[in-house]
Amino acid sequence: MFSQDIPTPEPETPFRPRQPYRFSTLCATVENPSQKDQYGSSSVPIYQTATFKGVNGQYDYTRSGNPTRSHLEHHLAKISSATHAFVVSSGMAALDTILRMLKPGDEVIAGDDLYGGTNRILAYLKTHGGVTVHHVDTTKPDTLLPYINPEKTAMVLLESPTNPLLKIVDLARIAADIKERAPNAVIVVDNTMMSPYLQRPLEHGADIVYDSATKYLSGHHDLMAGVITCNRDDLAKQMGFVINAAGNALTPFDCFLLLRGSKTLAIRMDRQQATSMLVAQMLDRLGFKVHYPGLAEHPNRDVHERIADGYGAVLSFTTGDKALSERIVGATRLWGISVSFGCVNSLISMPCVMSHASIDPATRAARGLPEDLIRLCVGIEDPADLLDDLERALLEAGAITLTAGGDSHQCYVRTIPSEGTAISRAVQKLAFNGPAEYTTEHNDDREWFVSAPGKVILFGEHAVVHGVTAVAASVDLRCYGVTTPRHDGKVSVHFIDIDSFTQEWKVDDLPWDAVTPVRVGDFHPDTLDHKLVDAITTRALSPEVLAKPSARQACIAFLYMYMIMAHGGKRPSFNFSARATLPVGAGLGSSASFSACAATALLLLYSRIQLPAQPAPTTEGHVHVSHGGRRAIPPALAEEVNRWAFVSEKILHGNPSGVDNSVSVFGGALSYTRPGFGRKAGMIPIQGFKSLRFLLTDSRVPRNTKQLVAGVAAMKEQEPEFVNGLLSAIQHISDEAQRALADPQLSRQTLLSALSALIDENHGYLVKLGVSHPSLEAIRSKTASPQYALSTKLTGAGGGGCAVTLVPDDLSESSLRELMASLSGDSFVPYLTSVGGSGLGILSPYNQPQLLATPPESPCESEARAGAVESLRDTFAGKATADLTAWADNLGRWLFV
């Protein structure tokens, strides 16, 4: 340890006083007046010795002190605005030294976005040291207040900017709050991300500051070191004792390396910061969600500029897809894949699988640490080379695409959901300025046509509530949605299947004061904003709407997403019309398909998602393979839609499983297991699912889903052994079904036979659970009669609703028509459908006419528009249900997930 004495140059004359040296001069100038070298060496010598001869000398044993270390500690104290400085073997050794001041019963307040190693050692203290640790969002100073205990709060551990999300913490305000409420608490700041060049927390109220000198202070990644600085003698005495006792002081040779590296700190960081800004701006222009304090929209940027002298050389960004992020990282050449930062060489990493992998996934998710996050640590290479290498990696990974504009210039455009900033939209406009390209610059000036399939639960109804795996698949009966511009300051809905319900609102009259917007690129919180739901219910819905339950919930879901997605002052005026070819309320996922359509339409209107550019056409040197629009919508876009569709489902149903909206968005088939039952939870796509034909028969008997679910739960409580046996049997059915559906070598005839037997078996268990209904049994009896011999089961909640019948390939069309006519004669409504088809669909805007339908403001305008293309909305509302699908298909090319 060394108590530094900052030398202030004496004035040469009374008329021209000297100014204190600036930081870069202090860095390059290693002066210790109390330790002049006997030979006048211009570089501090390495005292590579374990012991020193003599008695009562300044040094006796290098563990306790060494001249090379003393020079280094004096130098670091000087550039850190500190009285005391210590150097130890690593940044974590520095933190360990500081934390050894804690005792059992003490409480620590720490941030929720800390370096992974910091979390690891705090977790150890919490488990083994009797220390209570409170992780809070330190970017909001008020969140610390409830945890401050004047008697127990012993330490507050802060980091700004945080690693790796670059969150900004108001060090000065928090220090003042802590000193006022818990004067004895020690305020500790990890300053590694900034270094003393850009931020000196001791000047803002911190008691102790530590850095991993492995990073910027050294700058070359050729040593491990940690630095501790402080101004309080009592703290210095305690830490000096620990270092001497534990023996973790830095070795003489490493002291020499660190002293040499620190001389170039300022010049290195100037280059690294300048390049970092260029990298951040490039990624931001492309539409990625970028975390960097230098960007104008970075949260708490004003706070950072008040306490720091620069923005640093670390940034991070998200792509929307973990696999895409992995491809980007792997595609770089100049950016080295490595943990750590602060080196002269640029590094790239994925924190969740590297530096922060020691934090369990659940904790990472709770703290908002995205699994797809990429961290960039910028070095001193030529900026042009770094930008080119990153651009090439993005292109190779499929994160951006090169498009040719109408004037033959080429631009890079992001191929996954845009963050919707004005800059990124302007770039996209430039990129898609040719007649064959499309821009979303005027999304509110065109009609969007979207669709999503319904779903059928093939196996596992009711049992899924108790942890049994359910198997669900999409059906080719779909919900459709059309947005039509109004430009009159109003937003309206037309729900054709709910008694042709219509409602409109003045945009400015909606309860905007109750909205907490979800920023572009951020995820909606796990819980609904009930303040907004209540405001919409009480202030935006009339008594007439409130009296219609189905329309009421659909309006709330629509307005909730419309308002909470709003950003940048944009509040589009338009109409949203929705209708379906599948029966509403029959357990076929009509609400989920509505949610997917509404979410997609709003995301498009708000430019929160962007459609990919058209693929290059077939030319002499290139072949374009058409897939009929299948898989044209990238997974990241689908994920964003699915997240918002799930929000809508929460409003419509309270506590949905997420199965219905996932099937509506992704299509195909999937298995779902609810968490909390000792079995691996989540949704898993069933790959290789073969399209199957089913007859869905609506019994037209209303049902009470909640009552049916409660009935099974009550039976389980009364007869646990009996019900658990049934649930176990249904789990075996789901397992068999998954294997059969995913087996590419299983013949179709064997598959159909197996599914037929499983359907009969599953229905039998559902009957024993008491969830069937006479109408469903009547349907089942008719389809099982000798002339058809088909297998049928209830689907969904049962108690009415729909039955699902497997249609084998060898059933003649005449027999099928006869069966459907017979069911219709019994007042049932049969639908013939295929299962396992495409998910979310968007009518491609490329080469489509702009079907505008702005209400005319004068008779002249009305006449002028008489020859205009008829709006989709008009035809959409008037089409017969039986003709809707064919009409929609013939409008143009559809893009599907």
Side-chain angles (χ1 to χ4, degrees):
M1 182 273 290
F2 197 92
S3 281
Q4 70 93 8
D5 179 18
I6 300 178
T8 301
E10 296 295 331
E12 292 180 343
T13 74
F15 305 103
R16 191 182 176 193
R18 283 185 178 271
Q19 300 298 317
Y21 289 145
R22 290 160 180 80
F23 190 94
S24 56
T25 303
L26 293 176
C27 275
T29 307
V30 180
E31 291 288 348
N32 189 344
S34 65
Q35 286 189 303
K36 293 292 185 180
D37 180 70
Q38 58 182 324
Y39 298 110
S41 172
S42 59
S43 177
V44 174
I46 306 172
Y47 287 85
Q48 192 65 39
T49 179
T51 60
F52 297 84
K53 296 178 180 178
V55 179
N56 298 324
Q58 183 178 353
Y59 302 101
D60 59 0
Y61 195 48
T62 284
R63 172 166 57 80
S64 303
N66 182 283
T68 310
R69 189 185 306 140
S70 296
H71 271 285
L72 172 62
E73 289 176 336
H74 174 273
H75 184 63
L76 294 173
K78 177 182 65 176
I79 66 175
S80 301
S81 299
T83 304
H84 307 280
F86 305 89
V87 287
V88 292
S89 56
S90 70
M92 290 310 301
L95 179 58
D96 178 65
T97 299
I98 296 166
L99 294 177
R100 285 176 185 257
M101 293 188 289
L102 297 172
K103 60 184 183 301
D106 283 346
E107 295 188 3
V108 175
I109 302 174
D112 62 357
D113 180 27
L114 299 174
Y115 167 58
T118 303
N119 278 282
R120 182 167 53 237
I121 197 169
L122 288 176
Y124 181 88
L125 278 177
K126 187 175 181 179
T127 303
H128 301 286
V131 175
T132 300
V133 181
H134 303 288
H135 287 283
V136 302
D137 182 0
T138 50
T139 63
K140 301 174 183 176
D142 289 343
T143 62
L144 280 75
L145 301 183
Y147 298 97
I148 301 174
N149 186 317
E151 304 299 326
K152 293 185 177 181
T153 302
M155 188 174 290
V156 177
L157 185 56
L158 305 173
E159 183 180 337
S160 184
T162 63
N163 177 19
L165 293 177
L166 285 296
K167 295 179 181 179
I168 304 303
V169 177
D170 194 337
L171 302 177
R173 178 178 167 185
I174 291 177
D177 288 345
I178 298 297
K179 295 301 182 185
E180 177 184 346
R181 294 167 173 81
N184 295 325
V186 177
I187 300 168
V188 180
V189 176
D190 179 352
N191 197 45
T192 306
M193 291 279 280
M194 287 283 100
S195 84
Y197 180 43
L198 300 181
Q199 185 170 267
R200 292 165 294 283
L202 292 177
E203 298 174 358
H204 301 291
D207 296 308
I208 300 174
V209 176
Y210 73 97
D211 289 71
S212 171
T214 311
K215 299 0 181 237
Y216 291 116
L217 281 166
S218 165
H220 296 78
H221 280 188
D222 53 8
L223 78 146
M224 302 286 290
V227 175
I228 306 171
T229 57
C230 70
N231 285 323
R232 285 174 49 179
D233 295 343
D234 59 329
L235 297 176
K237 185 176 180 180
Q238 292 181 65
M239 293 185 291
F241 173 82
V242 170
I243 293 170
N244 184 47
N248 62 358
L250 197 62
T251 67
F253 184 72
D254 285 340
C255 287
F256 169 79
L257 289 177
L258 180 53
L259 188 59
R260 184 179 66 172
S262 67
K263 295 177 184 179
T264 59
L265 171 63
I267 195 169
R268 283 186 282 106
M269 291 231 58
D270 284 341
R271 176 60 171 265
Q272 289 170 295
Q273 279 195 108
T275 305
S276 296
M277 181 64 82
L278 296 176
V279 173
Q281 289 172 341
M282 182 189 83
L283 292 169
D284 185 61
R285 282 196 302 270
L286 287 170
F288 293 98
K289 171 69 174 176
V290 184
H291 306 277
Y292 185 63
L295 296 178
E297 295 183 357
H298 190 79
N300 286 344
R301 184 177 190 242
D302 58 327
V303 174
H304 182 78
E305 291 178 336
R306 172 162 45 84
I307 63 176
D309 298 325
Y311 303 120
V314 175
L315 62 142
S316 59
F317 68 102
T318 53
T319 66
D321 181 68
K322 183 179 179 182
L324 176 62
S325 295
E326 291 172 346
R327 294 198 301 273
I328 293 170
V329 171
T332 57
R333 298 294 179 268
L334 194 54
W335 299 78
I337 304 174
S338 177
V339 296
S340 196
F341 56 90
C343 182
V344 292
N345 305 110
S346 296
L347 304 175
I348 187 170
S349 66
M350 289 184 65
C352 287
V353 296
M354 297 174 72
S355 59
H356 289 61
S358 60
I359 306 174
D360 67 270
T363 302
R364 291 199 300 262
R367 296 179 184 174
L369 188 59
E371 296 292 315
D372 62 316
L373 187 73
I374 295 175
R375 187 181 72 179
L376 298 174
C377 309
V378 181
I380 65 170
E381 302 94 339
D382 190 288
D385 292 332
L386 288 174
L387 293 170
D388 179 69
D389 188 62
L390 183 58
E391 192 175 70
R392 289 175 182 273
L394 293 169
L395 185 64
E396 181 179 329
I400 60 175
T401 185
L402 183 63
T403 63
D407 57 358
S408 298
H409 78 283
Q410 293 183 317
C411 294
Y412 287 109
V413 180
R414 190 180 175 196
T415 57
I416 57 178
S418 163
E419 309 303 335
T421 64
I423 293 176
S424 66
R425 289 201 303 272
V427 171
Q428 289 155 359
K429 180 180 180 181
L430 290 173
F432 295 119
N433 59 357
E437 264 58 47
Y438 173 70
T439 173
T440 56
E441 176 72 9
H442 300 292
N443 277 351
D444 52 352
D445 286 338
R446 63 160 297 114
E447 291 189 298
W448 286 101
F449 197 6
V450 299
S451 75
K455 71 90 181 65
V456 60
I457 301 291
L458 298 177
F459 302 100
E461 297 91 340
H462 279 284
V464 69
V465 177
H466 303 281
V468 172
T469 303
V471 177
S474 63
V475 298
D476 62 5
L477 301 173
R478 304 176 74 88
C479 178
Y480 295 88
V482 172
T483 68
T484 306
R486 291 182 58 119
H487 298 309
D488 60 354
K490 294 180 180 179
V491 62
S492 56
V493 295
H494 184 191
F495 302 143
I496 297 168
D497 295 330
I498 308 178
D499 299 324
S500 200
F501 173 87
T502 60
Q503 185 69 28
E504 68 178 26
W505 300 269
K506 289 184 178 179
V507 172
D508 291 340
D509 289 347
L510 292 172
W512 294 101
D513 58 305
V515 178
T516 302
V518 174
R519 295 176 67 247
V520 175
D522 289 350
F523 291 170
H524 186 284
D526 290 338
T527 57
L528 293 174
D529 185 342
H530 291 289
K531 177 184 176 183
L532 179 56
V533 173
D534 292 343
I536 292 171
T537 304
T538 58
R539 295 162 55 188
L541 302 187
S542 66
E544 292 76 16
V545 176
L546 293 173
K548 301 176 180 178
S550 296
R552 177 191 66 213
Q553 291 305 110
C555 286
I556 294 173
F558 173 80
L559 289 177
Y560 182 94
M561 291 192 292
Y562 172 74
M563 298 175 71
I564 209 166
M565 283 188 195
H567 65 93
K570 183 177 182 181
R571 298 176 181 177
S573 170
F574 68 100
N575 175 82
F576 177 67
S577 298
R579 63 180 302 193
T581 58
L582 68 160
V584 175
L588 296 180
S590 57
S591 69
S593 55
F594 165 82
S595 293
C597 287
T600 304
L602 289 165
L603 288 166
L604 287 166
L605 283 169
Y606 277 122
S607 299
R608 296 177 77 112
I609 56 175
Q610 302 288 345
L611 298 181
Q614 290 191 96
T618 297
T619 61
E620 184 175 344
H622 171 73
V623 175
H624 167 61
V625 180
S626 174
H627 296 272
R630 295 183 302 278
R631 300 191 179 183
I633 296 177
L637 187 155
E639 290 282 2
E640 179 72 357
V641 171
N642 194 40
R643 283 189 285 268
W644 283 101
F646 188 46
V647 171
S648 176
E649 283 289 272
K650 287 181 179 180
I651 296 172
L652 295 174
H653 296 297
N655 185 28
S657 66
V659 175
D660 290 11
N661 51 274
S662 295
V663 173
S664 285
V665 172
F666 294 101
L670 58 80
S671 64
Y672 169 76
T673 306
R674 193 172 182 177
F677 291 88
R679 193 177 284 112
K680 184 178 180 180
M683 283 175 275
I684 302 174
I686 299 176
Q687 304 295 339
F689 183 88
K690 305 175 183 68
S691 182
L692 303 167
R693 284 204 306 171
F694 281 87
L695 188 65
L696 303 176
T697 306
D698 185 3
S699 69
R700 303 179 69 182
V701 174
R703 65 222 164 87
N704 187 324
T705 301
K706 291 182 179 179
Q707 185 177 6
L708 290 161
V709 172
V712 174
M715 181 186 293
K716 184 180 179 183
E717 186 174 346
Q718 295 168 6
E719 304 176 73
E721 186 174 345
F722 172 69
V723 173
N724 284 329
L726 296 178
L727 297 179
S728 178
I730 295 174
Q731 178 65 57
H732 290 311
I733 292 173
S734 291
D735 292 341
E736 286 289 347
Q738 289 179 76
R739 283 194 291 270
L741 291 167
D743 187 350
Q745 297 183 2
L746 196 66
S747 71
R748 187 169 180 85
Q749 184 57 47
T750 303
L751 172 65
L752 291 171
S753 297
L755 292 178
S756 178
L758 292 173
I759 284 173
D760 289 333
E761 184 182 358
N762 195 174
H763 183 81
Y765 294 133
L766 292 171
V767 170
K768 292 180 180 179
L769 287 174
V771 296
S772 188
H773 186 273
S775 63
L776 298 174
E777 295 304 318
I779 296 170
R780 177 173 161 79
S781 176
K782 176 154 291 190
T783 57
S785 59
Q787 65 265 45
Y788 309 117
L790 305 180
S791 296
T792 299
K793 63 181 283 294
L794 66 87
T795 185
C802 265
V804 56
T805 304
L806 178 64
V807 178
D809 297 339
D810 57 2
L811 183 68
S812 68
E813 291 301 314
S814 59
S815 296
L816 183 58
R817 287 194 298 270
E818 177 186 304
L819 173 59
M820 294 177 68
S822 178
L823 290 168
S824 298
D826 291 338
S827 298
F828 301 129
V829 182
Y831 299 84
L832 182 61
T833 182
S834 293
V835 169
S838 297
L840 173 71
I842 302 173
L843 182 63
S844 173
Y846 300 107
N847 300 319
Q848 297 293 332
Q850 294 292 311
L851 303 178
L852 302 182
T854 306
E857 298 180 358
S858 69
C860 294
E861 289 187 17
S862 180
E863 293 172 7
R865 298 172 66 88
V869 180
E870 183 182 14
S871 75
L872 286 175
R873 176 187 177 185
D874 296 336
T875 311
F876 177 69
K879 276 290 176 185
T881 302
D883 300 330
L884 184 60
T885 298
W887 170 74
D889 290 345
N890 289 329
L891 285 174
R893 181 172 179 261
W894 281 81
L895 310 177
F896 293 104
V897 173

